[in-house]
Amino acid sequence: MKKAILFVFIALSILICNAQVIEKAPVPWKAATLSFVLPGGGQIYNKSYLKSGVFFLAEATFLGMSIYHHNEMKDFGGKRNSVDEEDFEQYDIYNEDYEFHYKRRNSYYWWLGISIVASITDAYVDASLWDYDAKKSKIHLNMGDKNIGLSLRF
């Protein structure tokens, strides 16, 4: 566990140092890949630090809750299997708890997947639209009484 925390810390440090040096437009596929590998990594690459923190906290929360409910589910599954066959009431109580944690665990897995996809999508779109304001100033829509024109400056 300590090695994983150390790896995440080193990866975040490298990403932050790398993100501060970038002066050109970020590469969308690189932002998406970083966001997939490290929660919020693509947002750090795009210099969206607040969004990075939000995605990191969301993914960490969903992962933590999934692990918690998985462990509780295993605990009640073991208790359920250790109950004598004649004690149906106790078996039903453990079975209900097992089902509750099973459903919660699966729900948090879905939320984790959704947050990962949202993080990847956000990083890709943010990197793609990095110079949107500069491109927008080159396109003008001209509207008259009975005509509409579009002008593009190169």
Side-chain angles (χ1 to χ4, degrees), residues 28 31-33 35-36 43 46 51 55 113-129:
T33 304
S35 191
F36 177 74
Q43 286 75 18
N46 292 332
K51 284 196 284 187
F55 280 116
I114 289 169
S115 66
I116 290 170
V117 169
S119 174
I120 292 168
T121 304
D122 176 71
Y124 186 86
V125 169
D126 201 17
S128 297
L129 298 177

Side-chain angles (χ1 to χ4, degrees), residues 69 72-73 75-77 79-81 83 88-105:
H69 286 291
E72 290 294 313
M73 182 191 76
D75 185 39
F76 283 111
K79 288 179 182 177
R80 180 181 66 174
N81 293 335
V83 172
F88 292 117
E89 185 177 314
Q90 192 68 23
Y91 180 81
D92 287 342
I93 291 172
Y94 288 143
N95 196 37
E96 286 176 12
D97 290 335
Y98 177 85
E99 291 294 324
F100 171 78
H101 290 292
Y102 175 78
K103 289 177 182 177
R104 287 290 176 120
R105 180 200 64 174

